[in-house]
Amino acid sequence: MNKLLGRVVIGFVLFLILFPVCSSQIFIIWPWYGRELTVELLILLVPFNFLAIMLLWNYYLCIVTDPGRVPDSWQPDTQSGEGYEVKKLTGGPRYCRSCEKYKPPRSHHCKQCNRCVLRMDHHCPWVNNCIGHFNCGHFIRFLFYVDVTCTYHLFMVTRRVFYTMGARCWDEPTGLELIFIIMNYVFSIPVLLAVGAFSLYHFYSLLGNTTTIEGWEKDKAATLRRRGKIQEVKFPYNLGARRNIASVLGSNPLLWCWPTVPPGTGLKYQLSMGDGIDAQHNWPPRDPTLNDQQEFKLPSSPWTYENGSFNPTLRPNGTRLRSNRSQSTSSYPPYHPDYDDIDAVDARTPSPDSGTDYEEDGKDAVRVRRGSEGYEIRPVDRQEMLRQLMGDQADQVDKYQYYVPEPPSDDEDEEEELADDDDLPLGATRTTPIISV
């Protein structure tokens, strides 16, 4: 996330926290107790302010604490027998091509932070940081204190509202107090519902020692098991509820709600009882139907197809197209009576022997070329467009009236011959000698 945008989001979250905390005490609770400091008022506000301070403290730690990065010199020791995750295709240790480092168990690459994060859970935009091994406990405590503080806040404001219903006229809230009561409800209830639902998911994941990414992997494994593709695979990092919580919040239960440094280095994790190194290597399980697929390798040349064969749509065809343009064409337009369709060759129409692939759906369909760039319509010149237009209009019923002459008779043939003689010069007129008897 952009630094400026991240700071804006953090400022918005701080406003959501500080507005209900401050306005409820200044404009609602303080006037309700007559603006006097009493023991009853302290009993009500001291726990609320303690919860608010713990909330802000854990939120600050979520922002500034590094979730954990992979050391430059770290490499998995394949000879020691310690657990390390492997790639499913090669069986070797997981390697990040972006960071050019080996991946420790449960680590993943974050595109927002542009580095690998130890025990990555997710990238949280509300803290502008990744949630990983070293700040996951602060994040869990932050969610816990948001739920408790909002609940305590709503309890105080609701208590003031119920007291107003049975109060006398001089104890009724003022207009300003009533406005802030409504605004506190508007701010607190949506936050409690949204963060509460989010907290339930993360508390459930904490009991199973599962991150958000590993939760998706467990769902995928359950789907493969339900479809009968794999046998049941046990999650290798589930140590039991208490030990799962201790692996994130610390071994002392009295300090689970207090900010502490999480145990371990984040480079290796304890496996559940009865699970060996093979159990860690088999997680997450892979779809067995994908085992027959070969590993994808980039071709040496960009003019290749799939894994080495040449792309058939990239064969050269420009030379034959240029040779077709040099062929002779008819000197008459298409609508001329002496136009010969057989001898005429369109300069822009490729020959059947050319390298281009054309398809026709019907007799009068427009020819379409299918190549590496998709589909391309063959260019059509103006004469061909005019010929197609005249042919389409001529086929329409009652569009034109055609004159069909009748065959000439014998009398008409003699009259035509006489008419032809009248057109000849006088010297060339045929004369019939008159023979007198």
Side-chain angles (χ1 to χ4, degrees):
M1 183 184 293
N2 190 8
K3 292 183 178 180
L4 179 60
L5 181 59
R7 293 177 180 178
V8 172
V9 172
I10 292 175
F12 175 71
V13 174
L14 290 176
F15 174 74
L16 289 179
I17 297 174
L18 294 176
F19 177 80
V21 171
C22 297
S23 63
S24 61
Q25 299 181 80
I26 297 174
F27 297 100
I28 300 176
I29 305 301
W30 180 250
W32 180 30
Y33 280 82
R35 292 182 173 85
E36 293 182 0
L37 187 61
T38 60
V39 176
E40 186 180 359
L41 180 62
L42 292 176
I43 294 175
L44 181 64
L45 295 183
V46 167
F48 177 68
N49 286 273
F50 173 78
L51 295 174
I53 292 174
M54 295 298 295
L55 167 62
L56 293 172
W57 189 6
N58 284 277
Y59 181 66
Y60 170 77
L61 292 176
C62 288
I63 298 173
V64 300
T65 303
D66 193 324
R69 60 180 67 239
V70 182
D72 296 335
S73 59
W74 183 86
Q75 291 185 359
D77 189 0
T78 58
Q79 304 297 332
S80 63
E82 294 182 353
Y84 62 91
E85 295 178 352
V86 299
K87 294 187 291 186
K88 301 304 177 184
L89 293 178
T90 62
R94 297 168 59 226
Y95 186 81
C96 180
R97 295 182 179 179
S98 301
C99 300
E100 297 182 351
K101 298 179 182 179
Y102 286 100
K103 285 184 177 182
R106 313 180 74 178
S107 63
H108 299 276
H109 185 84
C110 177
K111 295 182 180 179
Q112 300 293 332
C113 300
N114 196 23
R115 63 185 176 91
C116 288
V117 179
L118 299 179
R119 195 186 179 275
M120 180 180 174
D121 189 281
H122 69 284
H123 184 89
C124 182
W126 303 109
V127 300
N128 194 26
N129 196 4
C130 264
I131 305 302
H133 175 76
F134 291 103
N135 63 350
C136 183
H138 304 318
F139 183 74
I140 294 296
R141 281 184 286 265
F142 167 69
L143 297 178
F144 171 75
Y145 281 114
V146 168
D147 298 336
V148 177
T149 305
C150 286
T151 304
Y152 196 95
H153 169 266
L154 291 176
F155 165 74
M156 291 193 311
V157 177
T158 306
R159 183 183 175 189
R160 174 68 176 109
V161 172
F162 278 110
Y163 183 81
T164 303
M165 294 180 180
R168 299 180 182 179
C169 58
W170 59 82
D171 291 334
E172 292 181 357
T174 61
L176 182 62
E177 185 179 355
L178 185 60
I179 292 175
F180 276 98
I181 289 175
I182 297 174
M183 294 181 67
N184 274 264
Y185 276 120
V186 171
F187 274 77
S188 297
I189 293 178
V191 171
L192 180 60
L193 294 177
V195 179
F198 192 66
S199 303
L200 292 177
Y201 173 78
H202 279 277
F203 294 159
Y204 174 77
S205 299
L206 177 64
L207 294 176
N209 198 10
T210 306
T211 63
T212 301
I213 299 176
E214 291 170 349
W216 298 338
E217 295 173 350
K218 292 174 70 174
D219 294 340
K220 180 180 179 181
T223 302
L224 295 176
R225 175 67 178 87
R226 186 170 57 254
R227 294 178 179 177
K229 295 184 178 181
I230 62 173
Q231 300 295 328
E232 184 177 359
V233 180
K234 186 178 180 181
F235 183 62
Y237 302 107
N238 188 3
L239 308 176
R242 189 183 184 284
R243 296 178 63 188
N244 292 338
I245 299 175
S247 65
V248 177
L249 302 181
S251 58
N252 191 355
L254 300 178
L255 299 179
W256 284 354
C257 295
W258 190 263
T260 55
V261 179
T265 61
L267 299 177
K268 61 180 180 179
Y269 295 91
Q270 184 178 0
L271 302 179
S272 59
M273 298 298 295
D275 293 337
I277 304 301
D278 296 336
Q280 187 178 15
H281 289 180
N282 294 331
W283 186 265
R286 190 170 184 266
D287 190 349
T289 58
L290 304 178
N291 293 333
D292 298 334
Q293 294 185 359
Q294 299 179 357
E295 183 179 2
F296 177 77
K297 296 181 180 179
L298 293 176
S300 58
S301 173
W303 310 105
T304 53
Y305 184 68
E306 291 183 352
N307 282 336
S309 61
F310 287 97
N311 192 341
T313 59
L314 294 178
R315 57 176 178 264
N317 49 26
T319 304
R320 295 179 179 178
L321 285 176
R322 286 191 295 270
S323 63
N324 292 333
R325 295 178 182 177
S326 61
Q327 297 179 5
S328 60
T329 59
S330 178
S331 59
Y332 296 101
Y335 50 86
H336 197 275
D338 295 335
Y339 179 80
D340 193 353
D341 293 337
I342 300 177
D343 297 336
V345 178
D346 191 358
R348 296 187 178 182
T349 304
S351 62
D353 299 333
S354 62
T356 55
D357 297 333
Y358 284 89
E359 294 182 354
E360 291 188 4
D361 296 336
K363 179 180 179 181
D364 298 333
V366 179
R367 304 185 70 185
V368 178
R369 176 181 180 272
R370 182 173 61 183
S372 60
E373 300 297 332
Y375 290 91
E376 178 184 357
I377 300 178
R378 181 181 63 83
V380 182
D381 57 357
R382 297 174 63 87
Q383 294 181 356
E384 185 174 355
M385 293 172 61
L386 181 59
R387 183 177 59 182
Q388 293 178 359
L389 178 63
M390 295 181 62
D392 295 340
Q393 293 183 353
D395 295 338
Q396 298 180 9
V397 181
D398 298 335
K399 181 68 177 180
Y400 297 100
Q401 296 181 357
Y402 296 93
Y403 173 72
V404 180
E406 298 179 356
S409 60
D410 295 339
D411 297 338
E412 291 178 353
D413 293 340
E414 294 177 358
E415 292 178 358
E416 289 179 357
E417 293 178 357
L418 294 177
D420 295 339
D421 293 340
D422 294 340
D423 295 337
L424 295 176
L426 182 61
T429 304
R430 292 180 298 178
T431 59
T432 304
I434 302 175
I435 302 175
S436 59
V437 179

mmCIF file of all heavy atoms in Angstrom, residues 89 220 224 227-230 285-294:
data_model
loop_
_atom_site.group_PDB
_atom_site.id
_atom_site.type_symbol
_atom_site.label_atom_id
_atom_site.label_comp_id
_atom_site.label_asym_id
_atom_site.label_seq_id
_atom_site.Cartn_x
_atom_site.Cartn_y
_atom_site.Cartn_z
ATOM 1 N N LEU A 89 6.514 -30.584 -6.721
ATOM 2 C CA LEU A 89 6.977 -31.120 -7.998
ATOM 3 C C LEU A 89 8.384 -31.684 -7.905
ATOM 4 O O LEU A 89 8.664 -32.782 -8.394
ATOM 5 C CB LEU A 89 6.926 -30.014 -9.064
ATOM 6 C CG LEU A 89 5.536 -29.516 -9.441
ATOM 7 C CD1 LEU A 89 5.645 -28.395 -10.471
ATOM 8 C CD2 LEU A 89 4.693 -30.649 -10.002
ATOM 9 N N LYS A 220 -9.055 -26.606 1.160
ATOM 10 C CA LYS A 220 -8.756 -27.317 -0.085
ATOM 11 C C LYS A 220 -8.510 -28.795 0.179
ATOM 12 O O LYS A 220 -8.973 -29.661 -0.582
ATOM 13 C CB LYS A 220 -7.533 -26.679 -0.747
ATOM 14 C CG LYS A 220 -7.138 -27.332 -2.051
ATOM 15 C CD LYS A 220 -5.925 -26.660 -2.660
ATOM 16 C CE LYS A 220 -5.519 -27.334 -3.958
ATOM 17 N NZ LYS A 220 -4.308 -26.689 -4.547
ATOM 18 N N LEU A 224 -10.586 -32.086 -1.344
ATOM 19 C CA LEU A 224 -9.981 -33.245 -2.001
ATOM 20 C C LEU A 224 -10.332 -34.543 -1.270
ATOM 21 O O LEU A 224 -10.557 -35.578 -1.908
ATOM 22 C CB LEU A 224 -8.465 -33.070 -2.063
ATOM 23 C CG LEU A 224 -7.947 -31.910 -2.928
ATOM 24 C CD1 LEU A 224 -6.432 -31.808 -2.820
ATOM 25 C CD2 LEU A 224 -8.363 -32.085 -4.374
ATOM 26 N N ARG A 227 -13.942 -35.541 -2.067
ATOM 27 C CA ARG A 227 -14.094 -36.063 -3.415
ATOM 28 C C ARG A 227 -13.378 -37.389 -3.620
ATOM 29 O O ARG A 227 -13.414 -37.948 -4.723
ATOM 30 C CB ARG A 227 -13.570 -35.043 -4.429
ATOM 31 C CG ARG A 227 -14.394 -33.760 -4.460
ATOM 32 C CD ARG A 227 -13.809 -32.759 -5.435
ATOM 33 N NE ARG A 227 -14.611 -31.535 -5.474
ATOM 34 C CZ ARG A 227 -14.301 -30.461 -6.195
ATOM 35 N NH1 ARG A 227 -13.207 -30.468 -6.947
ATOM 36 N NH2 ARG A 227 -15.068 -29.389 -6.170
ATOM 37 N N GLY A 228 -12.709 -37.880 -2.591
ATOM 38 C CA GLY A 228 -12.055 -39.179 -2.661
ATOM 39 C C GLY A 228 -10.735 -39.189 -3.398
ATOM 40 O O GLY A 228 -10.260 -40.255 -3.791
ATOM 41 N N LYS A 229 -10.127 -38.024 -3.590
ATOM 42 C CA LYS A 229 -8.857 -37.969 -4.317
ATOM 43 C C LYS A 229 -7.659 -38.255 -3.424
ATOM 44 O O LYS A 229 -6.624 -38.710 -3.919
ATOM 45 C CB LYS A 229 -8.702 -36.592 -4.978
ATOM 46 C CG LYS A 229 -9.728 -36.312 -6.065
ATOM 47 C CD LYS A 229 -9.457 -34.980 -6.729
ATOM 48 C CE LYS A 229 -10.453 -34.715 -7.859
ATOM 49 N NZ LYS A 229 -10.191 -33.430 -8.543
ATOM 50 N N ILE A 230 -7.761 -37.959 -2.131
ATOM 51 C CA ILE A 230 -6.646 -38.183 -1.214
ATOM 52 C C ILE A 230 -7.174 -38.833 0.055
ATOM 53 O O ILE A 230 -8.385 -38.834 0.314
ATOM 54 C CB ILE A 230 -5.922 -36.867 -0.858
ATOM 55 C CG1 ILE A 230 -6.888 -35.909 -0.145
ATOM 56 C CG2 ILE A 230 -5.311 -36.217 -2.076
ATOM 57 C CD1 ILE A 230 -6.222 -34.658 0.380
ATOM 58 N N PRO A 285 -1.518 -30.860 1.058
ATOM 59 C CA PRO A 285 -1.625 -31.971 0.114
ATOM 60 C C PRO A 285 -1.911 -31.468 -1.292
ATOM 61 O O PRO A 285 -2.597 -30.461 -1.483
ATOM 62 C CB PRO A 285 -2.784 -32.804 0.673
ATOM 63 C CG PRO A 285 -3.592 -31.839 1.479
ATOM 64 C CD PRO A 285 -2.617 -30.856 2.050
ATOM 65 N N ARG A 286 -1.393 -32.182 -2.248
ATOM 66 C CA ARG A 286 -1.539 -31.808 -3.648
ATOM 67 C C ARG A 286 -2.539 -32.724 -4.330
ATOM 68 O O ARG A 286 -2.659 -33.902 -3.997
ATOM 69 C CB ARG A 286 -0.190 -31.890 -4.357
ATOM 70 C CG ARG A 286 -0.177 -31.289 -5.764
ATOM 71 C CD ARG A 286 1.252 -31.196 -6.271
ATOM 72 N NE ARG A 286 1.318 -30.535 -7.562
ATOM 73 C CZ ARG A 286 1.322 -31.166 -8.730
ATOM 74 N NH1 ARG A 286 1.281 -32.485 -8.739
ATOM 75 N NH2 ARG A 286 1.392 -30.509 -9.861
ATOM 76 N N ASP A 287 -3.240 -32.177 -5.300
ATOM 77 C CA ASP A 287 -4.209 -32.957 -6.060
ATOM 78 C C ASP A 287 -3.470 -34.041 -6.840
ATOM 79 O O ASP A 287 -2.588 -33.732 -7.660
ATOM 80 C CB ASP A 287 -4.972 -32.026 -7.013
ATOM 81 C CG ASP A 287 -6.164 -32.710 -7.651
ATOM 82 O OD1 ASP A 287 -6.286 -33.940 -7.517
ATOM 83 O OD2 ASP A 287 -6.985 -32.023 -8.283
ATOM 84 N N PRO A 288 -3.767 -35.330 -6.625
ATOM 85 C CA PRO A 288 -3.015 -36.394 -7.328
ATOM 86 C C PRO A 288 -3.230 -36.385 -8.831
ATOM 87 O O PRO A 288 -2.417 -36.933 -9.563
ATOM 88 C CB PRO A 288 -3.546 -37.680 -6.692
ATOM 89 C CG PRO A 288 -4.886 -37.314 -6.130
ATOM 90 C CD PRO A 288 -4.783 -35.875 -5.713
ATOM 91 N N THR A 289 -4.315 -35.788 -9.306
ATOM 92 C CA THR A 289 -4.536 -35.734 -10.752
ATOM 93 C C THR A 289 -3.543 -34.822 -11.454
ATOM 94 O O THR A 289 -3.421 -34.868 -12.675
ATOM 95 C CB THR A 289 -5.964 -35.263 -11.046
ATOM 96 O OG1 THR A 289 -6.164 -33.960 -10.438
ATOM 97 C CG2 THR A 289 -6.969 -36.235 -10.472
ATOM 98 N N LEU A 290 -2.835 -33.992 -10.684
ATOM 99 C CA LEU A 290 -1.852 -33.082 -11.273
ATOM 100 C C LEU A 290 -0.448 -33.654 -11.264
ATOM 101 O O LEU A 290 0.496 -32.979 -11.688
ATOM 102 C CB LEU A 290 -1.849 -31.747 -10.522
ATOM 103 C CG LEU A 290 -3.205 -31.019 -10.445
ATOM 104 C CD1 LEU A 290 -3.053 -29.742 -9.629
ATOM 105 C CD2 LEU A 290 -3.728 -30.703 -11.831
ATOM 106 N N ASN A 291 -0.276 -34.884 -10.767
ATOM 107 C CA ASN A 291 1.065 -35.455 -10.687
ATOM 108 C C ASN A 291 1.630 -35.780 -12.057
ATOM 109 O O ASN A 291 2.853 -35.818 -12.241
ATOM 110 C CB ASN A 291 1.049 -36.722 -9.824
ATOM 111 C CG ASN A 291 0.747 -36.416 -8.365
ATOM 112 O OD1 ASN A 291 1.022 -35.327 -7.870
ATOM 113 N ND2 ASN A 291 0.153 -37.388 -7.673
ATOM 114 N N ASP A 292 0.754 -36.080 -13.031
ATOM 115 C CA ASP A 292 1.223 -36.445 -14.363
ATOM 116 C C ASP A 292 1.653 -35.245 -15.185
ATOM 117 O O ASP A 292 2.242 -35.408 -16.251
ATOM 118 C CB ASP A 292 0.125 -37.210 -15.114
ATOM 119 C CG ASP A 292 -0.240 -38.504 -14.402
ATOM 120 O OD1 ASP A 292 0.630 -39.030 -13.671
ATOM 121 O OD2 ASP A 292 -1.385 -38.983 -14.575
ATOM 122 N N GLN A 293 1.360 -34.052 -14.738
ATOM 123 C CA GLN A 293 1.719 -32.866 -15.492
ATOM 124 C C GLN A 293 3.215 -32.586 -15.350
ATOM 125 O O GLN A 293 3.786 -32.695 -14.261
ATOM 126 C CB GLN A 293 0.922 -31.651 -15.005
ATOM 127 C CG GLN A 293 -0.563 -31.769 -15.293
ATOM 128 C CD GLN A 293 -1.298 -30.502 -14.909
ATOM 129 O OE1 GLN A 293 -0.711 -29.550 -14.411
ATOM 130 N NE2 GLN A 293 -2.602 -30.485 -15.153
ATOM 131 N N GLN A 294 3.828 -32.237 -16.447
ATOM 132 C CA GLN A 294 5.236 -31.910 -16.433
ATOM 133 C C GLN A 294 5.442 -30.487 -15.922
ATOM 134 O O GLN A 294 4.575 -29.636 -16.058
ATOM 135 C CB GLN A 294 5.835 -32.047 -17.839
ATOM 136 C CG GLN A 294 5.736 -33.454 -18.408
ATOM 137 C CD GLN A 294 6.314 -33.534 -19.804
ATOM 138 O OE1 GLN A 294 6.737 -32.528 -20.373
ATOM 139 N NE2 GLN A 294 6.357 -34.742 -20.339
#
